Amino acid sequence: MFLTISTTGSPERPATDLGFLLHKHPERAQAFSTSHGTAHVFYPEASAERCTAALLLEVDPIALVRKGKGKGRGGAPDSALAQYVNDRPYAASSLLSVAMSTVFKSALSGACKAMPERAAAPMELRIEVPALPARGGAELVRKLFGPLGWTRVEAEAVPLDETFPDWGDSRYVRLVLEGELRLADALRQLYVLLPVLDDAKHYWVAPDEVDKLLRAGEGWLAEHPEHKLITSRYLARRWGLTRQAMERLELVRLAEADDLDVESVDNAVDEGSDTEERPVPLAVHRRDAILAALTAAGARRVLDLGCGQGQLVQALLKDPRFTEIVGLDVSMRALTSASRRLKLDRMGERQAARVTLRQGSLTYTDKRLKGYDAAVLSEVIEHLDPERLPALEFTVFGSARPRTVLVTTPNVEYNVRWETLPAGHARHGDHRFEWTRAEFRAWAEAVAGRHGYGVEYVPIGPDDPEVGPPTQMAVFSTATTDETEKEAKAA
């Protein structure tokens, strides 16, 4: 397999900066051993005006057989003959993808200490793969790369034999991509899509492949129109893993959605009303109510579940009573934004020791969430499909079991007071439901009963006598050990 990456430049910003970003010097040819052969990196051209880096993968068929000895396609157990008669050596795109992750590991992560600004900025790129297996042909290639920001996606079918055109085309294409993208983004796209086009893996697809896919697909896969096909093929059509990945991608889409657009419209002040007092945004009312409830509960170690861009975490850090704060979110993009908001890279050592940001899903139990005083789910539950709520319920109330749990969610009855919200519409397009006060209380009381919590309700925002407050909050609490002992002695 052979792949080239080219860019253009100028004397002020030479194209040879590509060498810094790839961490491979343009004046050297380098060879790297892989488990299935040797990867060579060299530069066919390297000048200030134009630079091309080439990756050539030489597959060692003997090493390939030894690596998969006793395994059939995909690593499944098979007869002894399978190591000699199978199609594993021809999953070349998968081999190239793994070689890329090894040779260009730092470039894939976007890390470059020498030129961090250059690594973070888009650059003119041309990527070419002269012979790429593509089950689905040129049309599928365009469907996969077309939505990803490339200005040119060329996939030219390679004939089976140029001497005999009547034989038709092979399943290989000559791929050319041109556009202005971050190098790390382009490499991550190739890492995922090359084996997807080949529709084959040279190794057994284990559960950790889901994490690899979501890491490489961060920022583009969740919104890709062909994300189902990509996920299925990347995970070798293992339906259990595919379903798990699709559920996590759905959570990513929800987490990255803007929160309650209608609130920002309602809280905006007209240009001609400079003398009027600005109304307090509902988001501020919500944070104040959460902080007050946490303080009243005596919580010191707090989980912000579905922390988004870290607004609540930032507010908690300002109060020294909260000694440990953990922000959890399924979206790495949201966590990156939270890290920037909090300025974690410039935070003092003592302050930084109080806060942790973690990636995780609320529909899967997580031992890291146990042992905390309180957990907050602020405007989270309405972004889940109703059938996923029992999984969240068990994760938070059944497994993690903090002493106090705060849940806030919109009150759909108040929607009639939003002048900018059309009748019958949810406050945000990603809301799977919006509950009345009675519906929210019925759910909360059922959850409290199943898991041994008491529950109280707090209105957030102006409490309208007819339709109630815009946001409703349930405060779940369970007796501490000391309180339980006191009650037992009193009895």
Side-chain angles (χ1 to χ4, degrees):
M1 289 290 288
F2 184 67
L3 175 149
T4 59
I5 305 169
S6 302
T7 189
T8 56
S10 64
E12 295 76 22
R13 180 168 282 189
T16 48
D17 286 352
L18 181 63
F20 287 98
L21 303 185
L22 292 174
H23 300 264
K24 303 294 179 288
H25 200 290
E27 295 182 4
R28 293 194 208 131
Q30 297 176 268
F32 303 86
S33 295
T34 72
S35 56
H36 301 99
T38 304
H40 302 270
V41 178
F42 55 95
Y43 289 77
E45 55 182 340
S47 66
E49 292 74 27
R50 183 174 176 84
C51 184
T52 298
L55 173 62
L56 172 65
L57 177 63
E58 283 187 301
V59 178
D60 182 350
I62 297 177
L64 189 65
V65 168
R66 286 174 177 167
K67 186 71 176 178
K69 189 174 182 180
K71 303 287 185 180
R73 180 182 174 180
D78 205 346
S79 66
L81 187 61
Q83 60 178 298
Y84 301 104
V85 184
N86 61 62
D87 61 355
R88 284 165 42 82
Y90 303 99
S93 295
S94 177
L95 294 167
L96 179 63
S97 178
V98 172
M100 284 176 54
S101 68
T102 302
V103 176
F104 297 143
K105 182 178 180 180
S106 296
L108 274 160
S109 69
C112 182
K113 292 183 179 180
M115 294 184 171
E117 299 85 1
R118 191 82 158 109
M123 60 192 302
E124 289 291 339
L125 291 173
R126 175 187 169 93
I127 293 176
E128 183 173 351
V129 184
L132 174 66
R135 298 178 189 268
E139 182 180 356
L140 180 59
V141 174
R142 287 187 284 267
K143 283 184 178 180
L144 296 187
F145 285 102
L148 296 178
W150 298 97
T151 56
R152 178 188 176 194
V153 179
E154 179 183 306
E156 179 184 352
V158 176
L160 281 171
D161 192 320
E162 294 182 356
T163 309
F164 300 98
D166 293 343
W167 287 9
D169 295 329
S170 69
R171 67 180 184 91
Y172 291 81
V173 299
R174 173 180 173 268
L175 174 67
V176 176
L177 303 172
E178 291 182 352
E180 190 171 340
L181 283 80
R182 290 175 63 240
L183 178 62
D185 293 338
L187 291 175
R188 285 199 290 261
Q189 292 171 15
L190 292 169
Y191 173 79
V192 172
L193 295 181
L194 292 187
V196 165
L197 283 166
D198 198 353
D199 198 14
K201 286 287 186 77
H202 69 281
Y203 57 90
W204 176 248
V205 175
D208 63 349
E209 290 295 303
V210 175
D211 293 326
K212 293 180 184 179
L213 173 62
L214 296 185
R215 282 197 299 269
E218 182 190 350
W220 62 272
L221 179 56
E223 300 298 332
H224 197 292
E226 300 293 336
H227 66 276
K228 292 181 180 179
L229 181 145
I230 294 170
T231 303
S232 175
R233 283 194 174 194
Y234 184 87
L235 297 172
R237 291 187 171 84
R238 293 193 61 191
W239 303 121
L241 298 182
T242 301
R243 184 173 59 252
Q244 179 184 341
M246 292 298 298
E247 290 172 354
R248 291 174 62 179
L249 285 173
E250 178 67 11
L251 291 173
V252 169
R253 282 195 294 275
L254 300 178
E256 291 178 350
D258 294 332
D259 185 28
L260 298 178
D261 292 344
V262 68
E263 292 181 15
S264 61
V265 174
D266 183 79
N267 287 321
V269 179
D270 294 336
E271 292 181 3
S273 59
D274 292 340
T275 59
E276 296 182 12
E277 184 179 352
R278 288 179 177 267
V280 178
L282 182 56
V284 174
H285 281 299
R286 188 185 302 121
R287 283 197 293 273
D288 289 346
I290 290 171
L291 291 171
L294 291 173
T295 301
R300 298 176 64 81
R301 303 174 67 239
V302 179
L303 296 166
D304 182 8
L305 304 178
C307 66
Q309 298 182 2
Q311 292 93 332
L312 178 59
V313 173
Q314 187 176 44
L316 291 168
L317 273 172
K318 293 178 181 178
D319 191 329
R321 285 175 292 191
F322 302 112
T323 58
E324 183 179 355
I325 304 149
V326 175
L328 183 86
D329 205 281
V330 72
S331 168
M332 279 304 300
R333 180 184 293 181
L335 292 174
T336 299
S337 298
S339 178
R340 290 172 181 162
R341 174 187 291 274
L342 300 172
K343 299 180 174 62
L344 288 181
D345 57 337
R346 288 178 280 169
M347 189 177 288
E349 184 176 347
R350 181 177 298 178
Q351 188 79 332
R354 295 173 57 209
V355 61
T356 304
L357 299 179
R358 292 174 178 164
Q359 185 182 28
S361 169
L362 295 178
T363 56
Y364 296 93
T365 56
D366 190 337
K367 290 187 285 188
R368 299 175 300 173
L369 305 183
K370 294 183 178 181
Y372 288 85
D373 300 328
V376 180
L377 293 101
S378 179
E379 309 300 287
V380 171
I381 61 172
E382 64 273 11
H383 288 282
L384 293 177
D385 290 318
E387 58 267 24
R388 303 298 297 164
L389 289 178
L392 176 143
E393 174 189 330
F394 181 76
T395 297
V396 177
F397 296 91
S399 176
R401 290 196 62 80
R403 290 204 319 265
T404 301
V405 181
L406 309 181
V407 180
T408 75
T409 192
N411 168 24
V412 71
E413 298 169 79
Y414 193 89
N415 286 2
V416 297
R417 297 292 188 256
W418 300 111
E419 295 181 1
T420 56
L421 183 63
H425 284 237
R427 298 187 194 180
H428 194 281
D430 284 316
H431 286 184
R432 296 303 191 256
F433 60 85
E434 290 178 354
W435 277 333
T436 64
R437 287 168 290 173
E439 289 170 330
F440 181 50
R441 291 187 178 212
W443 174 81
E445 288 167 8
V447 170
R450 282 191 289 267
H451 299 282
Y453 283 80
V455 61
E456 298 178 351
Y457 305 95
V458 177
I460 296 178
D463 197 354
D464 189 286
E466 296 181 2
V467 297
T471 297
Q472 46 194 338
M473 179 167 71
V475 181
F476 297 85
S477 57
T478 182
T480 63
T481 303
D482 292 341
E483 290 170 343
T484 303
E485 290 176 355
K486 290 178 182 179
E487 290 174 1
K489 289 178 180 179

